[in-house]
Amino acid sequence: MKPRDPYFDNAKYLAILLVAVGHAWTPLRDDSQTASALYLFVYTFHMPAFILIAGYFSRNYTGRPDQLKRLITGVGVPYLIFEAGYVLFKRWGTDNPSAPFSLLDPYYVTWFLIALFIWRLTAPIWRIVRWPVPVSLAIAVLASVSPHIGNDLNLQRVLQLLPFFVIGLHLRREHFHWVRERWVQLLAVPAMLTALVVAWWAVPRMEHSWFYRTNSAQDMGAEWWAGVVMTPALFGCGLLLTACFLAFVPERRMWFTALGAGTIYGYLLHGFVAKASRWWDWYAADWVNSPGGRVVVTVIGAAVVTVLCTAPVRRAFRVLVEPSMDWAFRKDTGPKDTRSKDTGTGGHRPARTGS
């Protein structure tokens, strides 16, 4: 097995940090245009970056029996576990014992697991399609103008974010070296500053739901043609800012590099803290909506997800996040994949990649 690449562990940790901070900022948006602008800025690229990396580590997926086994145990089963866990937590946290279980309606952060499951299964298709990125983008556009798709399996998100996964499938390691060249970094600075200014301008003028990719244009009260315009625009902005983000990810080992192996833990577990903070009015304190309070909330969000990516937490929750289920499968699962294994969010296992 090849050694882990520090660059991707660094990228995954920094991306999950942005995910957690974005969730921490959510209740602050109504009282601060600055917080809302930063929120839109981060939401433009934090999941696209995660998904692109997930696609990159799905390049070798061909649907072999051993790969299917890892997909089931590393993505499918954790989806079932955490979907049930979040619903039970909602029943308890909101004193609502009738909150329904629904395997077809992913709750909160669990959408990423079901999306990854679907994207990974389609990976072999995107290697034989002649124009994979344009085709996937066309699918995303069609989804954005198709309100009849509904909420099952969060398919709107699955389809609208698909192009980032497809791009990742076709990247090579040298592309990530290229994006860190000095001239790219120099161009990335004004690009990101411009994006922040545009986000500030867009706060009172733009429906934030566009950035979630969970609805069609019609569902958001817009004309159908808005989806045709906004989907490629958001894709282009997301891809540009993802490149800018990756340009500044260090390639050497850092103090947080080892945490990159546990990002799936941080992703799945921090949602419980985020939900509790809303249900139990942690944001009701007066100091929270002051400038200093928003900084403290940001630091807390970053600290929580950092702790949840550490080795002790991973050992404690491994039975839920990375269950060993050899008992459930026949032993003749085909040849083993001896190449470098990675999840994109967690450890280097081809079964899981990604947020």
Side-chain angles (χ1 to χ4, degrees):
M1 182 186 298
K2 294 181 181 178
R4 297 182 69 97
D5 188 330
Y7 176 79
F8 292 109
D9 278 339
N10 292 338
K12 289 183 292 182
Y13 169 73
L14 294 174
I16 197 61
L17 205 67
L18 292 176
V19 171
V21 168
H23 287 160
W25 286 340
T26 302
L28 303 176
R29 293 176 298 157
D30 294 339
D31 299 314
S32 170
Q33 186 169 353
T34 299
S36 193
L38 288 171
Y39 179 88
L40 291 185
F41 173 74
V42 166
Y43 264 71
T44 304
F45 71 92
H46 69 344
M47 285 311 297
F50 238 128
I51 294 165
L52 183 144
I53 294 172
Y56 175 75
F57 283 106
S58 299
R59 300 180 330 281
N60 298 324
Y61 183 84
T62 60
R64 294 195 320 267
D66 60 306
Q67 292 177 328
L68 286 170
K69 174 185 173 182
R70 288 193 295 270
L71 182 61
I72 292 169
T73 60
V75 180
V77 172
Y79 168 71
L80 298 176
I81 292 172
F82 279 88
E83 179 68 12
Y86 271 102
V87 173
L88 290 172
F89 187 64
K90 180 180 181 180
R91 289 183 173 187
W92 175 65
T94 63
D95 195 21
N96 178 18
S98 62
F101 287 99
S102 176
L103 297 181
L104 297 181
D105 187 13
Y107 186 74
Y108 201 34
V109 298
T110 61
W111 74 267
F112 180 74
L113 292 180
I114 199 64
L116 182 58
F117 194 92
I118 295 171
W119 291 330
R120 180 63 65 83
L121 287 177
T122 67
I125 296 174
W126 299 110
R127 281 193 290 271
I128 63 174
V129 172
R130 187 181 294 273
W131 301 290
V133 176
V135 170
S136 64
L137 184 57
I139 291 173
V141 171
L142 288 173
S144 73
V145 299
S146 303
H148 61 274
I149 287 178
N151 296 323
D152 288 353
L153 299 180
N154 215 328
L155 280 178
Q156 279 287 358
R157 228 173 200 167
V158 172
L159 297 177
Q160 290 190 41
L161 290 169
L162 173 64
F164 296 104
F165 183 81
V166 173
I167 286 178
L169 282 173
H170 293 84
L171 293 179
R172 298 185 300 275
R173 184 61 179 91
E174 52 263 36
H175 291 120
F176 295 94
H177 287 304
W178 175 82
V179 81
R180 291 197 75 262
E181 290 188 7
R182 185 63 175 169
W183 67 271
V184 177
Q185 293 176 335
L186 291 174
L187 291 176
V189 173
M192 297 184 86
L193 291 175
T194 300
L196 281 169
V197 172
V198 172
W200 175 275
W201 173 87
V203 166
R205 298 174 175 84
M206 187 175 179
E207 172 57 58
H208 293 188
S209 296
W210 283 107
F211 293 84
Y212 306 147
R213 276 90 162 188
T214 53
N215 298 293
S216 68
Q218 297 94 318
D219 290 332
M220 291 184 285
E223 297 293 333
W224 69 269
W225 54 263
V228 177
V229 174
M230 288 297 297
T231 302
L234 286 173
F235 168 73
C237 292
L239 187 60
L240 173 63
L241 291 180
T242 294
C244 293
F245 165 74
L246 293 172
F248 292 104
V249 171
E251 290 189 305
R252 66 185 185 280
R253 291 194 64 83
M254 309 290 289
W255 67 265
F256 54 79
T257 300
L259 299 174
T263 49
I264 189 62
Y265 290 81
Y267 177 79
L268 291 173
L269 295 172
H270 91 280
F272 290 102
V273 181
K275 283 298 182 183
S277 71
R278 275 61 148 184
W279 296 337
W280 301 338
D281 296 326
W282 295 356
Y283 286 82
D286 293 337
W287 64 268
V288 169
N289 282 311
S290 66
R294 297 183 191 105
V295 173
V296 171
V297 168
T298 302
V299 172
I300 291 174
V304 167
V305 79
T306 297
V307 170
L308 294 176
C309 291
T310 59
V313 173
R314 288 158 54 194
R315 285 194 295 269
F317 289 93
R318 181 164 288 125
V319 67
L320 301 178
V321 180
E322 300 179 277
S324 176
M325 298 182 60
D326 290 342
W327 55 268
F329 299 93
R330 295 169 51 182
K331 294 183 178 180
D332 53 336
T333 54
K336 301 296 182 183
D337 187 352
T338 58
R339 289 168 289 195
S340 178
K341 301 176 180 180
D342 202 300
T343 71
T345 54
H348 287 197
R349 299 171 60 191
R352 177 172 32 223
T353 47
S355 174

